[in-house]
Amino acid sequence: MLPSTQPQFEEKRFALRMALRLPIVVSGRTDDGAAWSEPTETDDISTLGALFQLNQSIEVGETLYIRSHRPDGVPVEAKARVVRISPASYGTSRVGVSIVESKDNWLRLFVAWIADDNVAEGHSE
């Protein structure tokens, strides 16, 4: 029997993903209902979500709100669900989120930064 050439873990994400340091503000609520807010930046973003580091203690399944701006300064806010948490440096966590709503606004944010990045690097559309 021939050995399998299929990878042990299959990639389940189908979204276009890009490494991008995008300043964001993440907010949520603690178990006792107190609101919190933390500025950070993305490690990468996709058409459906983002990966970033947080100091705040959170859990998978929790709802977060992400605020950012498009390159033209237009503010964008999205509701997201935590889908992955892993330890990061200095006691922080790497948090993966999936955008719940408004997916259209998030997609516009993603496309705006991709287009802006291509223009800055001299690529034409």
Side-chain angles (χ1 to χ4, degrees):
M1 182 174 227
L2 295 175
S4 174
T5 57
Q6 196 167 16
Q8 183 177 359
F9 299 102
E10 270 187 61
E11 177 61 55
K12 295 181 181 176
R13 294 176 285 196
F14 295 101
L16 180 59
R17 180 168 299 276
M18 175 180 173
L20 178 65
R21 298 275 183 206
L22 177 64
I24 59 174
V25 176
V26 180
S27 58
R29 294 205 173 267
T30 61
D31 289 338
D32 64 3
W36 60 266
S37 184
E38 184 178 328
T40 188
E41 64 182 18
T42 59
D43 292 335
D44 66 47
I45 67 171
S46 75
T47 55
L48 300 176
L51 179 67
F52 49 86
Q53 292 190 28
L54 275 183
N55 291 310
Q56 182 68 36
S57 178
I58 57 169
E59 296 181 13
V60 170
E62 197 167 325
T63 297
L64 301 177
Y65 296 89
I66 301 171
R67 291 186 315 272
S68 189
H69 290 85
R70 296 191 327 215
D72 61 5
V74 173
V76 173
E77 184 167 317
K79 181 178 177 181
R81 189 179 85 257
V82 177
V83 294
R84 182 176 66 164
I85 301 172
S86 60
S89 57
Y90 305 108
T92 64
S93 297
R94 290 187 85 193
V95 178
V97 298
S98 174
I99 301 303
V100 176
E101 61 185 53
S102 161
K103 292 181 180 182
D104 289 345
N105 283 348
W106 186 260
L107 182 58
R108 286 185 195 102
L109 174 76
F110 180 85
V111 169
W113 278 104
I114 299 293
D116 189 66
D117 194 42
N118 284 335
V119 169
E121 292 179 7
H123 301 289
S124 61
E125 303 285 314

